[in-house]
Amino acid sequence: MFPASAVPLLLRFAAAAITGAAALVALRSVHREEAVAALRRDVRDALRRLDEPPAVLFTGFRAHGKSALINTACRALAAEAGPVLLRTETAPRGPGGATLARLVDAVVEMVDAPALPEPGILTRSDVEAAVCGSPGNPPPDCVILVLRCGGPSKESRVAVKKLADIATVVRERGLQFVVVLTHKKHIKSKRQAEELRREIALRARTDCVYFIENYTAGNMLHLLRPWTSKNNFETHFTVLTMMRQCIEFTKLHRSNLARKANDNANSSRLL
């Protein structure tokens, strides 16, 4: 037992400790917000240096989080808070028109391609149809392939095995691509995440592999009572990093197109 005279002192020590801990948490939060804001400014500056907005094509299997990723990217780029705005919803299965989500503030065009067929029946022509774009939408400058962590194990294994075929089609069209693994909360450990990342990178032949937990509106979305989502540092920072990479891929793609056009023009003059 502590003497009665020591109790106020102990309470002051406890209060000081709590205040100090709260201050550290607040400072960490401020630093995170500053990091996200700085990355967002970098993305916007890079976008302004482009002659035309980049066209980023999102493709993937149904229910893997492709449309939710577009909504998440728009939210992070526009620095939104509060309810999740649904700029695009799940695309229809099979062939059909893609959905175009334009972000006006930081100009970028995100093309939500129709969902790929189930991994077990996916063919090369299916991937070609998805990658080539749709009438009325801009041709893609780069591709984001969306896969979910977890889900039925057999389907997940088949989807991962199809990565090499998908990567081949994308690269044959002179495009670079990013692989985004959604539903990252299904990953149980850092070791499991690293093993999955390594397998994805090997099969897709790319180092651009990201894990993310999308913002979603849930199943109880109501226009009069919209569901509010709290912004998450890791989600924001990851999606902004991903979009920054897409801008670099866009610059590379357009540079290659310009060089090929110049080479063709020089060849024509020699004939």
Side-chain angles (χ1 to χ4, degrees):
M1 292 289 295
F2 294 101
S5 59
V7 172
L9 182 60
L10 291 174
L11 290 176
R12 286 198 293 271
F13 281 152
I18 293 173
T19 302
L24 288 175
V25 171
L27 182 61
R28 183 182 180 187
S29 176
V30 169
H31 286 168
R32 287 186 164 193
E33 291 175 0
E34 289 177 349
V36 168
L39 181 55
R40 184 182 295 112
R41 286 194 299 270
D42 181 51
V43 170
R44 290 178 172 176
D45 289 343
L47 287 170
R48 294 187 185 100
R49 288 194 290 269
L50 295 175
D51 294 333
E52 296 180 359
V56 182
L57 186 140
F58 290 69
T59 188
F61 302 102
R62 189 172 182 82
H64 280 229
K66 175 167 56 69
S67 298
L69 180 60
I70 292 178
N71 294 325
T72 297
C74 290
R75 180 181 179 88
L77 285 168
E80 294 170 351
V84 176
L85 302 181
L86 300 184
R87 291 171 170 86
T88 183
E89 298 183 50
T90 301
R93 188 188 301 271
T99 303
L100 180 63
R102 283 189 174 91
L103 191 63
V104 177
D105 187 16
V107 182
V108 58
E109 295 179 330
M110 305 183 196
V111 181
D112 187 7
L116 295 172
E118 298 299 326
I121 60 173
L122 182 69
T123 65
R124 179 186 174 89
S125 60
D126 294 325
V127 181
E128 290 175 341
V131 172
C132 71
S134 300
N137 288 327
D141 291 303
C142 71
V143 174
I144 291 179
L145 174 62
V146 183
L147 292 176
R148 66 173 294 163
C149 302
S153 58
K154 182 178 180 181
E155 178 185 335
S156 296
R157 286 195 298 270
V158 176
V160 170
K161 289 180 180 179
K162 291 289 185 178
L163 277 175
D165 297 334
I166 297 173
T168 298
V169 173
V170 172
R171 289 198 172 95
E172 284 178 354
R173 276 154 180 71
L175 299 171
Q176 300 293 328
F177 73 104
V178 171
V179 180
V180 179
L181 304 172
T182 62
H183 300 81
K184 76 170 189 176
K185 289 182 180 178
H186 286 87
I187 299 294
K188 303 301 182 183
S189 66
K190 290 184 178 180
R191 179 179 178 181
Q192 183 184 4
E194 186 55 37
E195 289 176 350
L196 180 57
R197 183 195 299 274
R198 199 157 42 235
E199 182 179 9
I200 295 293
L202 179 63
R203 291 185 180 274
R205 303 190 303 280
T206 180
D207 292 328
C208 299
V209 180
Y210 300 93
F211 290 90
I212 198 168
E213 191 70 27
N214 284 329
Y215 297 119
T216 61
N219 297 322
M220 301 300 291
L221 181 67
H222 194 287
L223 292 178
L224 299 180
R225 298 186 299 276
W227 183 77
T228 300
S229 175
K230 183 179 179 180
N231 288 337
N232 177 271
F233 166 75
E234 290 187 2
T235 296
H236 261 53
F237 200 85
T238 299
V239 78
L240 289 172
T241 301
M242 176 190 75
M243 295 309 299
R244 187 65 179 88
Q245 183 65 67
C246 287
I247 295 171
E248 292 304 310
F249 284 160
T250 295
K251 291 163 59 178
L252 178 62
H253 175 61
R254 293 178 179 178
S255 175
N256 290 337
L257 289 179
R259 187 179 66 253
K260 289 180 181 178
N262 186 56
D263 291 344
N264 291 336
N266 290 336
S267 298
S268 298
R269 285 195 292 268
L270 294 175
L271 294 178

